[in-house]
Amino acid sequence: MVEWTEQERSIITSIFSNLDYDDVGPKALVRCLIVYPWTQRYFASFGNLYNADAIKTNPNIQAHGTRVLHGLDRAVKNMDNIKGTYAELSVLHSEKLHVDPDNFKLLADCLTIVIAAKMGSGFTPEMQATFQKFLAVVVSALGRQYH
């Protein structure tokens, strides 16, 4: 179990309360699919992913990026039971979708980059450390079914 300080809880809540989910989520997913092209194989049903421009303008990718970010809200609201919060989603990703669990980490890294770019100097080292701790817990919970 992860221990969260009140300051860490406050930082995570603050980051998420100021996010434009329809902007940040799609940008993070687009970045992941372009920088790590092997991740595209899980999105074959999403239509044209032929090149970076196609990925950037794909409405299915945009919608899924927003959905992923809203999914992280569940962790923010359940910071004391993130593992339980994502138990069903972990089963779905492992047993039905067969997603490589390393891809969760890649997307988390892309999300960190997008948020850092949005926040600029406001994304302090302390905020980054807390955010990355939070994402590491989420990634672990999503990959739980694989262990």
Side-chain angles (χ1 to χ4, degrees):
M1 186 170 116
V2 176
E3 297 291 326
W4 300 102
T5 67
E6 286 307 312
Q7 185 173 9
E8 288 172 329
R9 290 174 190 275
S10 176
I11 287 170
I12 295 301
T13 302
S14 172
I15 289 171
F16 278 90
S17 69
N18 293 309
L19 288 184
D20 178 353
Y21 285 40
D22 295 325
D23 180 50
V24 173
K27 281 183 179 173
L29 183 56
V30 163
R31 178 179 293 269
C32 187
L33 294 173
I34 293 170
V35 174
Y36 308 107
W38 58 89
T39 62
Q40 294 173 21
R41 69 177 173 213
Y42 302 106
F43 297 93
S45 67
F46 278 42
N48 183 6
L49 303 176
Y50 181 70
N51 59 32
D53 287 333
I55 293 169
K56 289 177 188 175
T57 59
N58 185 307
N60 294 320
I61 296 297
Q62 298 291 315
H64 192 69
T66 300
R67 189 174 311 113
V68 166
L69 206 54
H70 279 291
L72 286 175
D73 271 341
R74 294 173 58 198
V76 173
K77 293 173 183 167
N78 296 290
M79 288 182 67
D80 293 320
N81 188 21
I82 293 175
K83 181 172 64 172
T85 299
Y86 289 123
E88 285 182 40
L89 203 52
S90 178
V91 169
L92 170 70
H93 281 87
S94 85
E95 295 179 10
K96 183 178 178 192
L97 301 175
H98 308 289
V99 174
D100 180 342
D102 287 340
N103 291 338
F104 301 133
K105 174 74 170 108
L106 298 176
L107 182 57
D109 289 345
C110 290
L111 181 58
T112 301
I113 291 166
V114 171
I115 289 175
K118 285 282 183 197
M119 293 181 69
S121 62
F123 196 63
T124 65
E126 182 180 29
M127 288 182 92
Q128 180 181 352
T130 300
F131 189 64
Q132 287 185 297
K133 175 182 175 181
F134 171 78
L135 290 178
V137 173
V138 170
V139 165
S140 175
L142 286 170
R144 185 99 177 132
Q145 182 64 27
Y146 297 86
H147 303 300

